[in-house]
Amino acid sequence: MSVSSVASNSASSLTGSRASIADNFDTFLQLLTTQLKNQNPLDPLDTNAFTQQLVQFTGVEQQLKTNDFLAAMMSSTQNASNSQAVGYIGKMVSASGVKSELVKGSASWHFAIAKDADVTVTVKDAKGNSVFTKQGSVKSGESVFNWDGLGSDGTQKPDGSYTISVQARDSDGKLIDVATEMTGEVTGIDLTGSEPVLIIGTARVNLSSVLSVRSKTATDTSTGTGTGSSV
């Protein structure tokens, strides 16, 4: 269920609760007034109980108003998040993960290592089959791996989802941790859930997972970023 539907249901519930409280409060005042008018002057009613109930009604009314305010804030936050997500359409984004989309014979991944290393990059298809392997050397920092979709067997692979694994070794032959990101163009937004989801080809990326955003033109002309390099 989406946040907007929750907010809508909450608003309807609060409206009904508020109306019920108002009706009960009016009924309570009528009963109180009637009893006070008809009380025995020699044995007056104890007003402490009525006072306590008045305080309880006031507390409930204040809580309902607080809930109204929180529901309005939640709706406002969701609308702002949706507006922000729409601005990603047509942009190149990088997000945590090893999956990327091969679109028109082009796919990119970004990865980062702490020191210079020799790396072995393996690309796998959606079934987990290894379709391409490449070795190279990269500098410390962020690097980019661009793949044209050509497999190790010399055939052009179809567009779709692919994953990579990157094995890096330093000059001593020791394995180095690698942080991998997927990169692709946002073609749509799914706003039906509690968090906007960016659609990149057939992949779906939560907005909170996005690590960087680049214009498509800047990405097409870049071969690496920072102190890193391309493989």
Side-chain angles (χ1 to χ4, degrees), residues 74-129:
M74 183 170 61
S75 178
S76 176
T77 300
Q78 178 67 11
N79 290 336
S81 181
N82 290 347
S83 298
Q84 177 189 8
V86 171
Y88 283 79
I89 295 178
K91 301 292 182 62
M92 300 295 294
V93 301
S94 294
S96 300
V98 296
K99 180 186 292 186
S100 190
E101 293 295 309
L102 180 67
V103 180
K104 296 180 180 179
S106 178
S108 296
W109 290 264
H110 288 254
F111 61 93
I113 55 177
K115 58 175 69 175
D116 296 357
D118 295 324
V119 298
T120 300
V121 180
T122 302
V123 180
K124 297 181 180 181
D125 62 18
K127 296 181 180 179
N129 300 315

Side-chain angles (χ1 to χ4, degrees), residues 140-211:
S140 62
E142 183 181 350
S143 299
V144 59
F145 172 67
N146 296 309
W147 183 46
D148 58 7
L150 192 64
S152 297
D153 58 1
T155 62
Q156 182 66 37
K157 302 304 176 183
D159 288 356
S161 296
Y162 292 84
T163 61
I164 66 165
S165 61
V166 182
Q167 186 180 76
R169 294 182 180 274
D170 62 16
S171 58
D172 296 326
K174 296 180 180 179
L175 289 173
I176 305 173
D177 291 336
V178 180
T180 309
E181 305 170 7
M182 61 86 67
T183 301
E185 181 182 359
V186 179
T187 57
I189 308 293
D190 183 355
L191 302 175
T192 59
S194 60
E195 179 184 2
V197 176
L198 309 183
I199 300 174
I200 304 174
T202 60
R204 299 167 62 85
V205 177
N206 288 345
L207 183 61
S208 60
S209 298
V210 174
L211 301 176

